[in-house]
Amino acid sequence: MDATPEIILATRVRDQLKADKQAVFADFNAHGHVGHLLTRLRRAVDAALVEAWRGLGLPDDSALVAVGGYGRGELFPFSDVDVLLLLPSEPGEDTTSRLEKFIGLCWDLGLEIGSAVRTVDDCIRESRQDVTIQTSLLEARLLTGNRKLFAELQTRYQADLDPRAFFQAKLLEMRQRHAKYQDTPYSLEPNSKESPGGLRDLQVILWMTKAAGLGDSWKELFERGLLSEREAQELARNERLLKTIRARLHLVAGRRQDVLVFDLQTALAEAFGYRQNNNKRASEQLMRRYYWAAKAVTQLNIVLLLNIEAMLFPSESKVTRVINERFVERQGMLEITSDDLYEREPHAILETFLVYERTPGVKGLSPRTLRGLYNARTVMDASWRNDPVNRRLFLAIVQEPQGITHALRLMNQTSVLGRYLINFRRIVGQMQHDLFHVYTVDQHILMVVRNMRRFAIVEHTHEFPFCSQLMATFDRPWVLWVAALFHDIAKGRGGDHSKLGTADARRFCKQHGIEREDADLIAWLVEHHLTMSHVAQKQDLTDADVIHAFARVVGTERYMTALYLLTVADIRGTSPKVWNAWKGKLLEDLYRITLRVLGGARVDPHSLWAQRRDDTIAQLRLKAFDPELGKPLWSQLDVAFFLRHDARDIAWLTRHLYNKVDSPVPVVKARLSPAGEGLQVAVYIKDQPDVFARICGYFERKSFSIQEAKIHTTRHGYALDTFQVTDPGISSDASGNYRDIIALVEHELAERLQQQGALAEPTQGRLSRQSRSFPIKPRVDLRPDERGQYYLLSLSANDRTGLLYAISRVLAKHRTSVHTARINTLGERVEDVFLVDGSRLASDNKLQLQLEQDLLAALAI
């Protein structure tokens, strides 16, 4: 059967386009000129579309128009090809059929086509209603067809375009986009196109200036006075890098891929010629270069936006007030009074941020100020850093009661912070491959400072009331801001960053004349900023020795409060996924217990037991429950049980178990967790070696995440275990869906525990992308506690579905009973700690070795 003309056309055009693309890609791989790549690729697609349009005999009175980025004349390897099929009137049946064939042929050619069929009237009407369509038409380019029709579109479009309204719409759109990406260019997996500091930010500027008739290239913006020559060159250079990154990312991925995901960062870096060295991975070297480019784009983008706004709205850019001889306020922006201020008076650089903090109503820096700071970078040298006046100014900035977070962010954004604190400059744009930090080191530090400041702001007291209460009475809180600024400043240097950062902090305090008492606290906080989270999440808080040892490290109430506030702020500043209410409860419990010890109290198990019993009785009476009914259950519980559970938990368990002390069937009870998230689940069952594994297996199959497990065996051989579990589907909203989940858990888990038989094989859960890119070597550490009664089992590995069940299954296999379990998930990494029965382990070294080997095997699967 002979091929149809359409098939012949499609084959010819497709083969030619494929050959053209291969030639373009080969040239790019050989020479790396991204401008040639984008232009030649666009020309190849132009030729294919024109030949297809003409080959199908589309009407002479219609036109094929390139729009969007393709209309701009640039095409990335796997980007969409956006076209407008412009018609003089509504199409008839024959024209519609031909247009459908054309669009189908485009897909056959392998093009990611985005098409719209409109008349001129349609285009104008749609552009008025949708700024995205209005933007795509701004860069319309005729490919083939009726020139007169295309000219009519351009004339009517320009007449209908309101540059001011367009500016406002694009500005709002950009703010929404930035918010989607957490308002930072420093995400560990940034979008090279859409993230702040990405290519879209540059395109938005040129759209705005083109709509306003101010130019559509950096050279033209320089000629119109919107940019200095140096700024235009910087933008062009950084734009070239971002385009090269995006183009190579497409080619490495073999598809449209704009997010620099961990999976592709190494291959992308190697495509740029980076190789791993002793200090940094290839991906880290490339990503730091990306972050510095994105930072420069963000900085210059602000300058341009403010300059464009001043030109479009000239009546709104008058001086509002004079602050002093060096600074004025111009419509809410702090502005220098002369362009060469910073060269003449270098002290004014830091004074800028102090004035910013102290001037109510100022919400940012003007284009003139930002430009002055950008061009004063050579002034900020070693002598400038060591100037006593500048040291007093910097200390005054961090000691101001208002505006510290915004000031430090502005200082980092304008590179002033990194040039004043030279060690801070080293961590700007530095990635963290621990799989729970989602920001670069510098952004994490500023997030921690922000979190600390929010504890001191009335409007944020509802977020962490207890932290706000402590901050309200903390003397000289600026000490905490300094500690936060230094706590991770030594990341990536090799060695213990806490120790190295302590040395940096002490040097800073000495140079800035900070009194000994405050300097000691700052240095101590930097050295011990991980201590409290380690104790709270990995050690037994009911162990008096643990509490007393921690109290000895802390020493005083002021140190305790400072460390608690820094710890909460630090964990919250790592990732939205890492903080949860249960971790908050652990930290608060440790704070309160330690504070009592620092006040002179002794952790006496018997007095604590008596207090806990009395508090439980009070809780039961509040529920109109006779405490006498609980005595049969309590007689089977030892002191350790009362120490490990608070009065509310014991009262809850008593009300549900008082008449089931010798229950022949499992009893499961659940409720919304008092900690504020997820469920608290209690299991009461005749003890058996694999009961912990069976419970973990159930939770794993239901996709629950176990935060903590408290395992207890009664005097008459029953397991009384409580679990804190979380699930995204559980909430305490009015819909009541959590009640159904609670009922389901109670029924299903009790039924499952009655079933006998071998434990099911664990699910072979897949590692996440991040875990595959940055694997953690599994670690197992098994050692006896000081008394030798129990063994402390610490495990570290990449997280995956079914991991906890796999661990519990190994413990069940070796008949090793779990006393407590602290499940600590840090992003994509788990750091779990179990207290296990040591009676068999202490007398059998071979068993210890086999248990460790089997656990390592389970972690490595």
Side-chain angles (χ1 to χ4, degrees), residues 452 455 464 466-468 470 524-525 532 550 558-570 579 583-592:
M452 295 277 273
F455 297 153
F464 290 84
F466 184 55
C467 291
S468 296
L470 294 176
W524 183 87
L525 285 171
M532 189 172 189
F550 180 62
R558 187 168 193 248
Y559 275 49
M560 180 71 259
T561 299
L563 182 58
Y564 171 69
L565 293 172
L566 178 58
T567 303
V568 174
D570 190 17
W579 177 264
K583 288 180 182 175
K585 183 178 184 302
L586 290 175
L587 291 171
E588 186 173 336
D589 288 348
L590 176 57
Y591 175 83
R592 293 183 184 278

Side-chain angles (χ1 to χ4, degrees), residues 466 470 524 528-557 559-565 567-568 571 579 581-599 601 603 612 643 646 708 710 822:
F466 184 55
L470 294 176
W524 183 87
H528 292 281
H529 71 272
L530 298 175
T531 301
M532 189 172 189
S533 62
H534 175 83
V535 173
Q537 296 178 45
K538 295 187 178 183
Q539 297 189 37
D540 184 2
L541 302 189
T542 64
D543 187 330
D545 291 340
V546 169
I547 302 302
H548 283 293
F550 180 62
R552 284 194 295 272
V553 172
V554 174
T556 70
E557 180 179 344
Y559 275 49
M560 180 71 259
T561 299
L563 182 58
Y564 171 69
L565 293 172
T567 303
V568 174
I571 296 176
W579 177 264
W582 182 243
K583 288 180 182 175
K585 183 178 184 302
L586 290 175
L587 291 171
E588 186 173 336
D589 288 348
L590 176 57
Y591 175 83
R592 293 183 184 278
I593 296 170
T594 308
L595 208 59
R596 288 198 293 270
V597 172
L598 291 173
V603 182
R612 195 65 47 84
L643 295 180
D646 64 26
E708 185 182 57
K710 294 180 180 178
R822 187 64 54 81

Side-chain angles (χ1 to χ4, degrees), residues 574-644:
T574 57
S575 163
K577 297 179 181 180
V578 171
W579 177 264
N580 58 45
W582 182 243
K583 288 180 182 175
K585 183 178 184 302
L586 290 175
L587 291 171
E588 186 173 336
D589 288 348
L590 176 57
Y591 175 83
R592 293 183 184 278
I593 296 170
T594 308
L595 208 59
R596 288 198 293 270
V597 172
L598 291 173
R602 294 293 302 172
V603 182
D604 182 348
H606 294 287
S607 63
L608 285 177
W609 174 83
Q611 181 65 49
R612 195 65 47 84
R613 181 197 58 197
D614 292 345
D615 291 344
T616 302
I617 290 172
Q619 289 285 330
L620 290 171
R621 285 175 174 160
L622 284 174
K623 297 291 185 180
F625 185 91
D626 183 1
E628 290 296 316
L629 296 176
K631 286 187 175 180
L633 174 66
W634 292 4
S635 67
Q636 302 299 336
L637 305 174
D638 57 23
V639 172
F641 177 85
F642 283 87
L643 295 180
R644 289 207 303 272

Side-chain angles (χ1 to χ4, degrees), residues 773-793:
S773 299
F774 304 108
I776 296 171
K777 184 178 180 180
R779 179 182 57 82
V780 175
D781 183 44
L782 181 66
R783 62 184 64 194
D785 64 6
E786 292 182 359
R787 302 182 187 91
Q789 182 180 1
Y790 297 103
Y791 272 68
L792 192 68
L793 173 62

Side-chain angles (χ1 to χ4, degrees), residues 26 34 196 225 240 358 543 639:
V34 72
R240 193 159 50 248
R358 291 177 173 177
D543 187 330
V639 172

